[in-house]
């Protein structure tokens, strides 16, 4: 089984893909593996939209912080946290009315706890897909920007009240097979803590992200010239960016619609 | 690489564990594999608390809907969505002040979008851990109930404002190696949709959960005697349960503290 550990260690995110199409057979194998992900109470609190229509892919690429690689990817999957199907099932099957008639339960409209649980289900399935894809020779990349522009995304993908984007993957055969150096990771002891949260402060954080900073300096992309640090880089490029502002606005809207309609 | 697909297909959630301890070497291998999970912008927006202290495990078991299996599990990991470390890094490194002085950005307090992105990171890492554990012969089970009783959990694990539970795993060597029938899954075409959300209604839902209902009927755990359906079962046992109410209350509190302090 150490093949699987090797695979986990050699995986890296792939953003450009070869022209080789992903066959229907391979896609089906990938889908079947994806579905074997664990799910809360075995309810499958998620759905996956495969975006195939080229004009929709282009629109989606625009909505996700204008990243053309999305429109070029052979396979585009949007993972939804999905409580809508269960709301439908409970109401249309008569389960709600039976419970009321028997005095067992009043209807409970899904709230933030349902969102959390459904997000878990959907994201667990997404990472199951990433590993299964890797085993099939397919590369993948998460698109965090799927949580931006919720209103437009909702229109584009015909989302219903109790469905929200949880994660997004682009997939395909990697363009380059030549090994590319992998992204650094934090040391184990900066991520894993024992028995309680251990708040990290400056020295520990600089150590935790030491390798990140080294590799960032090599590509020369720090702000303030050579005076900048990794913290400056992430603060300016990520934390205080327009797309991060938009993620916050958009997520507030999607949660609000779910909870209050 | 088809070993990995077989592993994904044979995985099932393990709730009881043998007495065989998980060695430090194996745990380290598991931790290193877990960290190779993809993470947004390579920021590692998560932390993992390993709960080892037996009295804390017992308290945690109580807080997670009173499930003694948690206290008995050899390894207990709580995955946190963690923006706290980056807030500390930005402030303590002077990145916030430098950006303000240069007129580049005002401080943005993390909001719901950060929660969503951090949850993605943490849950992606959790499922990476599940697969890596499986490769090492370890079984695992998610504990969805970690999102209940947030105030008490926060005290128990010394959580800070920008840290919230994202997922939880119990791990160990499976008690029974005898093959146990796996849980059913929905058919591929009830989970995967093309180009837009396809709302499922009663007939389609009954088909989607047909195998779930068959296996449920065999163990005779439907409500209303034989008159009950799978929808009744899930409506009463899950959707309108006290623990689901608590998940909703608790998640609202954890999101509120993150956003408004």
């Amino acid at each position: 089984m150490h093949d699987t550990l090797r695979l986990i260690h050699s995986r890296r995110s792939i953003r450009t893909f070869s022209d080789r199409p992903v066959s229907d057979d391979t896609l089906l194998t990938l889908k079947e593996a994806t579905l074997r992900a664990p799910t809360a109470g075995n309810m499958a609190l998620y759905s996956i939209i495969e975006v195939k229509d080229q004009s929709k892919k282009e629109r989606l690429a625009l909505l996700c912080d204008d990243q053309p690689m999305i429109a070029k990817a052979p396979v585009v999957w949007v993972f939804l946290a999905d409580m809508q199907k269960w709301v439908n099932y409970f109401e249309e099957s008569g389960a709600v009315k039976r419970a009321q008639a028997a005095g067992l339960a009043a209807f409970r409209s899904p709230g933030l706890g349902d969102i959390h649980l459904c997000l878990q289900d959907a994201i667990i399935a997404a990472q199951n897909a990433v590993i299964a894809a890797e085993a099939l020779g397919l590369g993948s990349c998460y698109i965090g920007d799927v949580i931006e522009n919720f209103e437009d995304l909702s229109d584009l993908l015909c989302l219903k009240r109790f469905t929200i984007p949880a994660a997004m993957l682009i997939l395909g055969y990697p363009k380059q097979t030549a090994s590319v150096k992998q992204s650094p990771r934090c040391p184990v002891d900066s991520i894993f803590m024992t028995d309680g949260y251990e708040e990290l402060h400056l020295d520990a954080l600089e150590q935790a992200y030491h390798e990140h900073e080294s590799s960032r300096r090599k590509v020369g992309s720090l702000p303030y010239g050579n005076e900048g640090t990794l913290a400056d880089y992430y603060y300016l490029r990520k934390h205080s960016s327009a797309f991060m502002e938009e993620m916050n606005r958009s997520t507030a809207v999607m949660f609000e619609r779910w909870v209050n309609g």
Side-chain angles (χ1 to χ4, degrees), chain A residues 7-60:
Chain A
L7 181 151
I8 284 173
H9 277 277
S10 63
R11 185 212 59 78
R12 55 188 199 86
S13 295
I14 299 294
R15 292 174 176 81
T16 50
F17 304 96
S18 81
D19 292 337
R20 182 179 164 195
V22 182
S23 73
D24 288 349
D25 274 3
T26 300
L27 258 187
L28 183 59
T29 303
L30 180 59
K31 289 175 177 179
E32 286 170 344
T34 299
L35 293 185
R36 290 304 325 171
T39 125
N42 200 13
M43 291 176 81
L45 300 165
Y46 66 99
S47 293
I48 303 166
I49 298 179
E50 188 174 345
V51 183
K52 297 172 87 165
D53 178 88
Q54 190 56 34
S55 64
K56 284 207 172 191
K57 280 165 86 164
E58 281 160 19
R59 176 87 179 121
L60 184 60

Side-chain angles (χ1 to χ4, degrees), chain A residues 43-246:
Chain A
M43 291 176 81
L45 300 165
Y46 66 99
S47 293
I48 303 166
I49 298 179
E50 188 174 345
V51 183
K52 297 172 87 165
D53 178 88
Q54 190 56 34
S55 64
K56 284 207 172 191
K57 280 165 86 164
E58 281 160 19
R59 176 87 179 121
L60 184 60
L62 270 176
L63 295 179
C64 295
D65 200 33
D66 193 10
Q67 298 183 79
M69 68 182 183
I70 295 167
K72 290 178 193 157
V75 178
V76 176
W77 285 2
V78 177
F79 290 75
L80 302 176
D82 183 1
M83 196 67 207
Q84 187 67 51
K85 57 184 166 185
W86 282 100
V87 169
N88 290 358
Y89 202 4
F90 294 147
E91 286 176 349
E92 296 172 16
S93 68
V96 176
K97 280 196 180 152
R98 263 190 298 280
Q100 278 170 336
L104 292 173
F107 183 70
R108 182 184 67 76
S109 186
L112 291 174
D114 299 86
I115 287 184
H116 198 318
L117 205 61
C118 293
L119 283 175
Q120 289 184 58
D121 257 27
I123 298 163
I124 289 167
Q127 184 58 10
N128 223 41
V130 164
I131 307 268
E134 201 75 14
L136 290 164
L138 295 164
S140 64
C141 185
Y142 280 97
I143 307 292
D145 305 275
V146 72
I147 64 173
E148 295 161 32
N149 298 303
F150 176 66
E151 300 89 332
D152 291 338
L153 185 92
S154 178
D155 285 348
L156 183 71
L157 301 180
C158 312
L159 302 188
K160 299 291 176 183
R161 175 172 167 192
F162 300 116
T163 59
I164 55 172
M168 175 173 162
L169 286 175
I170 55 174
L171 303 121
Y173 292 100
K175 189 155 193 175
Q176 290 178 301
T177 49
S179 81
V180 175
K181 203 176 168 302
Q182 280 182 303
S183 305
R185 285 292 182 273
C186 297
V188 163
D189 62 6
S190 69
I191 298 287
F192 284 88
M193 300 158 177
T194 303
D195 287 329
Y197 185 69
E198 296 159 15
E199 194 172 3
L200 298 185
H201 293 288
L202 189 58
D203 285 355
L205 286 160
E206 283 177 343
Q207 270 200 294
Y209 290 95
H210 174 72
E211 277 196 63
H212 292 62
E213 175 128 18
S214 307
S215 70
R216 190 65 63 187
R217 282 191 181 276
K218 272 179 212 148
V219 297
S221 58
L222 288 170
Y224 312 119
N226 276 337
E227 301 305 308
T229 68
L230 194 76
D232 291 309
Y233 174 84
Y234 277 116
Y235 187 70
L236 295 174
R237 303 288 168 86
K238 303 284 181 185
H239 191 72
S240 64
S241 66
F243 75 77
M244 214 48 246
E245 281 275 9
E246 172 52 24

